[in-house]
Amino acid sequence: MSLTSVAKPRAKPGEALAAKLVRLGISREADLVLHLPLRYEDHTQLTPLSDLRGGETVQAEGVVVRSDIQYRPRRQLVCLIEDDSAPRGARSHLVLRFFSFYPSHQKTLAQGNRVRVFGEVRDGHYGLEIVHPEFKLVTRDTPLADRLTPVYPTTAGLSQETLRKVIERALNADPNRTAEVIPEGFMGKRKYWSFADAVHFLHAPPPGLSALTQKALDARTHPAWTRLKIDELLAQQLSLKAHRKARAARRAPVLTGTGKLTGELLNRVPFKLTRAQERVWSEIRRDLKRATPMQRLLQGDVGSGKTIVAAFAALQGIESGRQVAFMAPTEILAEQHYRKVSSWLAGLGIDIVWLSGSLPAKNRRKATEQLASGKAPFAVGTHALFQEAVELPRLGLAIIDEQHRFGVAQRLALRGKGMAEAHQLMMSATPIPRTLAMTFYADLDVSMLDEMPPGRMPVQTRLVNQKRRSEIIQWVGKACSAGRQAYWVCPLIEESEKLELQTAVALHMELTAAYEQKLKVGLIHGRMKPDAKAQAMDAFAAGEIAVLVATTVIEVGVDVPNASIMVIEHAERFGLAQLHQLRGRVGRGSAESVCVLLFEEPLTDMAKQRLKVIYEHSDGFEIARQDLQIRGPGEFLGARQSGVPLLRFADLERDIALIEQARDMADELLANDPAAADRHLERWLGGKQEYIKA
Ligand code: ADP
Ligand code: MG
């Protein structure tokens, strides 16, 4: 059933319409049925002009008594309509005002015509008016709508009128389109509305709904919405399970390992693994030896020691004669992994290839050649590793650090990149909320590093008013003169990278002047060349720089154990995850560490909440939980930026109970009636992509 058939008879306009519909994700008639209204307008009644009041949204009707273009204060079409609804035959009026209009407007709104208008009435200078009302030409006996009028999500050039028409046709043309695809008893015992009732109701609710029903409709808690949500969630769960089954059928290289390199690494790391690290490493080791691809998420708070676990996993892959790719979301973090891993593996005779977006073309070519030949076993870098034309013919394991920082689109690209046949280890310091674990991440196995390496001192957090900033400058100067090191993080300026840069440079100058020649103040920001960044980090790590002024480039994963002071300016502008990550940069050595959060009043409620949470909690998982409560899971997925649709109707926060039901229903349906499961997936996903997954 092609969409061109929706808008026959003329092929050309039909195609144009089809293209617009595709932009809305509608490529089949069945999709039209699932294109549900955002809200409704009540076109079932007329409000007499004498009853109009400012602030109300109404439908009204009258005869045009004047219609002219005015030029002050700017060009506009102004019409006056009237009726005789007032007592004793007096005339009542309403002004219609259009700041943009076409000749067709003037034609329809010509003097003497009877028009029906819809919009919000307001008190204008010259009496009641509606700006840009919907309007149409009528006669005295043009019938009123008998259902509420849906307002659909739409796209440029596609009018509500047209959408309403094609949707209504799709909805009523063929009863099969709204028939149950899941056996009666199965849905029935849970007392959901039938699919047909639900979609007919949602596309065209009857007028005169009680206030309560209206509210439920708006809030999408009405039983008709519930039916659509459960259907959608069921489709998602079925799709997830299909994906899992497909994974189980896929083959990945068996990475048995020899224990040679991993044993060597164990001998040379300067610390003893924590029990949690041992446990997690054995979980990963076991997975890698299997012939089905591992998809494991390693979760552990900032500083819990995920990198060394990744190194062990990498060595097992290399021992098994395969290639391993280790990726991080930022250049600075990837580079740090590169150095750390290089130092751990020094002398083991392993070539580590570095690859990032900023690598000069010549070096990059060399790197990709080495990897493509299959000889170089280990690649460390940014997402350049899977974005560019990089071939890893013997890839056995892909390790992705801070995986939640990669956008959904990048994660999808990763899946396409021949990595489907490789084992995957993802790492994250941010716990996945329960609803997401049940939905988008349902296909992952999870390992937890729930223990910190010994000897960590808790970080003291201080909230300090920005007014007392000069005291902090003095205090940091003193502490650093006594051998400590500090990060000084510039305020986040989301609107302007340039301004952020200027602030960083100014702060660097200010602190340099404040500490005269006694302390060396360094600077690192996102616009610096990678070499210069690395140099600054090196000098700081080597203790040559006492105070490192930084933009948020140091946010993720940077590790300088001697740094024990973190100052964050305008902490109120940062998100909780960022604050926790930044604070996690200190408290890595044995010295007592301090994190100073400078804030400026007045604080918004959200900022107050955030500062309170970061002040009261040090456990990253607890902070993440609170953060999610403040922000919601959409942010977590990073999907909003990438534009990949998540769920359309169900809400991950409010519909937890439905998600749980959908999960159970999916199991039951697959066990008892797989054909019905297929029909359901066909209705919801059809030719479209599967629901996204991690
Ligand atoms: P994260 O989990 O945040 O990525 P890292 O892997 O960067 O943490 O580890 C933080 C620091 O702890 C590093 O300096 C690392 O070398 C060190 N480390 C890791 N494991 C241990 C351990 N078992 N004992 C002591 N230090 C450790
Ligand atoms: Mg890390």
Side-chain angles (χ1 to χ4, degrees), residues 235-285:
Q236 192 211 25
Q237 290 294 326
L238 289 171
S239 144
L240 274 170
K241 285 178 203 280
H243 182 256
R244 188 173 318 175
K245 222 169 118 190
R247 169 156 73 103
R250 284 206 318 262
R251 287 283 157 267
V254 176
L255 307 179
T256 321
T258 59
K260 202 166 152 284
L261 296 173
T262 47
E264 192 65 35
L265 177 60
L266 199 58
N267 285 335
R268 39 169 80 203
V269 284
F271 45 73
K272 190 173 168 305
L273 293 186
T274 63
R275 263 167 316 172
Q277 282 169 321
E278 298 264 15
R279 188 189 66 238
V280 162
W281 162 224
S282 77
E283 285 166 359
I284 294 167
R285 191 164 46 206

Side-chain angles (χ1 to χ4, degrees), residues 133-426:
E134 291 173 35
F135 63 93
K136 65 175 178 190
L137 193 63
V138 291
T139 62
R140 268 199 183 277
D141 25 60
T142 304
L144 289 166
D146 58 355
R147 315 289 280 188
L148 296 183
T149 303
V151 178
Y152 293 106
T154 188
T155 179
L158 182 56
S159 71
Q160 288 293 333
E161 204 83 14
T162 307
L163 251 181
R164 279 169 200 154
K165 230 179 276 165
V166 290
I167 290 174
E168 194 184 307
R169 203 176 320 161
L171 196 58
N172 296 311
D174 177 3
N176 272 330
R177 193 153 294 138
T178 54
E180 293 297 342
V181 292
I182 293 173
E184 197 69 19
F186 184 80
M187 275 298 199
K189 79 176 177 235
R190 291 181 170 88
K191 300 206 172 50
Y192 291 113
W193 275 33
S194 77
F195 182 72
D197 286 352
V199 287
H200 280 286
F201 183 89
L202 291 176
H203 282 292
L209 297 175
S210 72
L212 208 65
T213 308
Q214 185 64 55
K215 216 171 128 195
L217 204 54
D218 293 341
R220 302 197 165 186
T221 54
H222 188 280
W225 273 116
T226 306
R227 169 61 204 251
L228 269 292
K229 287 180 185 181
I230 195 78
D231 265 30
E232 175 178 49
L233 289 167
L234 178 60
Q236 192 211 25
Q237 290 294 326
L238 289 171
S239 144
L240 274 170
K241 285 178 203 280
H243 182 256
R244 188 173 318 175
K245 222 169 118 190
R247 169 156 73 103
R250 284 206 318 262
R251 287 283 157 267
V254 176
L255 307 179
T256 321
T258 59
K260 202 166 152 284
L261 296 173
T262 47
E264 192 65 35
L265 177 60
L266 199 58
N267 285 335
R268 39 169 80 203
V269 284
F271 45 73
K272 190 173 168 305
L273 293 186
T274 63
R275 263 167 316 172
Q277 282 169 321
E278 298 264 15
R279 188 189 66 238
V280 162
W281 162 224
S282 77
E283 285 166 359
I284 294 167
R285 191 164 46 206
R286 193 193 54 211
D287 280 3
L288 293 178
K289 290 180 182 170
R290 295 205 173 120
T292 48
M294 167 173 84
Q295 260 182 18
R296 188 168 281 279
L297 177 68
L298 170 53
Q299 292 197 332
D301 202 352
V302 180
S304 60
K306 296 184 284 292
T307 321
I308 187 73
V309 176
F312 275 108
L315 287 186
Q316 178 160 336
I318 295 167
E319 279 176 359
S320 314
R322 287 289 179 159
Q323 290 178 305
V324 174
F326 187 3
M327 277 159 280
T330 67
E331 182 124 4
I332 217 173
L333 181 56
E335 170 126 15
Q336 184 177 294
H337 286 339
Y338 176 71
R339 291 143 171 273
K340 189 158 244 178
V341 170
S342 298
S343 78
W344 281 335
L345 305 193
L348 291 184
I350 299 169
D351 269 342
I352 308 179
V353 173
W354 164 250
L355 195 75
S356 81
S358 67
L359 207 61
K362 205 179 98 207
N363 302 19
R364 176 190 311 209
R365 206 170 329 113
K366 187 160 164 247
T368 49
E369 274 167 19
Q370 282 176 301
L371 295 173
S373 73
K375 283 192 207 113
F378 199 8
V380 180
T382 60
H383 50 263
L385 269 175
F386 58 88
Q387 274 185 343
E388 318 286 319
V390 179
E391 278 176 71
L392 294 152
R394 299 189 51 77
L395 186 69
L397 168 65
I399 304 169
I400 302 133
D401 195 16
E402 308 285 348
Q403 69 94 28
H404 64 284
R405 302 276 310 225
F406 287 102
V408 171
Q410 288 175 324
R411 274 179 258 159
L412 290 173
L414 181 64
R415 274 207 289 156
K417 180 79 193 180
M419 303 228 179
E421 307 306 317
H423 297 281
Q424 273 190 36
L425 176 63
M426 288 149 270

Side-chain angles (χ1 to χ4, degrees), residues 181-183 234-235 238 666 669-670 673-683:
V181 292
I182 293 173
L234 178 60
L238 289 171
L669 195 60
L670 285 173
D673 196 344
D678 282 347
R679 288 195 299 272
H680 187 75
L681 271 175
E682 171 60 25
R683 167 171 283 168

Side-chain angles (χ1 to χ4, degrees), residues 115-116 285 388 423 437 469 518 592:
V115 290
R116 197 171 282 173
R285 191 164 46 206
E388 318 286 319
H423 297 281
R469 189 164 167 277
K518 292 184 206 101
E592 165 102 328

